Amino acid sequence: MFEIPDDRKYLESHEWTTTEGDAVKIGISDFAQDELGDVVFVELPAEGDELVAGEEFGVVESIKAVSDLYAPVSGTVTAVNEELFDAPELLNDDPYGDGWMLELEPADESEFDDLLSPEEYREQTE
């Protein structure tokens, strides 16, 4: 069974989002990192970039595959986890903690309603 924290919302493509104050944090799920295997490279947008919900924002490369990353919600990138550039294995080691990818300022809070609840995401990964 994969770890699926209840304090997040999920995309079918295995990205998660959680709200911390005004910021929205984004990463990939435990299921996604397990499917990918050992992550060796991460490509992320820069601070100030605009993301659109459902559109590609980056790439994760592992020893098994290259996978596109999709934005759970629209908004402006306010922070990028630059530690991932030197230590992409953080995605494998701690996908919900030190392996976070981006923070953004959401453009439309109603987009959270379109995301999967932890229960819905659990059903998808079983």
Side-chain angles (χ1 to χ4, degrees):
M1 193 71 179
F2 296 99
E3 183 183 357
I4 301 173
D6 288 331
D7 64 344
R8 289 148 215 268
K9 297 275 220 147
Y10 300 85
L11 274 180
E12 287 182 14
S13 54
H14 309 292
E15 291 82 7
W16 57 260
T17 183
T18 187
T19 306
E20 295 181 359
D22 292 338
V24 173
K25 216 171 232 188
I26 296 171
I28 62 169
S29 71
D30 189 29
F31 178 86
Q33 71 78 24
D34 185 70
E35 290 288 303
L36 283 165
D38 294 336
V39 176
V40 296
F41 177 77
V42 180
E43 181 181 307
L44 298 172
E47 268 185 60
D49 285 358
E50 297 288 328
L51 302 186
V52 176
E55 291 192 6
E56 184 184 323
F57 73 81
V59 174
V60 173
E61 187 175 327
S62 72
I63 57 173
K64 291 173 22 180
V66 175
S67 185
D68 293 330
L69 299 165
Y70 297 93
V73 294
S74 302
T76 304
V77 177
T78 57
V80 176
N81 186 355
E82 295 188 8
E83 286 186 44
L84 294 177
F85 300 132
D86 293 327
E89 66 275 6
L90 287 171
L91 289 175
N92 297 114
D93 298 340
D94 192 9
Y96 298 113
D98 291 339
W100 66 276
M101 296 179 158
L102 305 173
E103 284 186 1
L104 59 87
E105 183 180 313
D108 182 357
E109 305 251 340
S110 71
E111 290 177 342
F112 288 99
D113 298 338
D114 299 331
L115 301 175
L116 299 174
S117 69
E119 296 77 23
E120 292 167 324
Y121 185 67
R122 265 187 209 96
E123 289 174 14
Q124 178 187 306
T125 60
E126 291 176 350

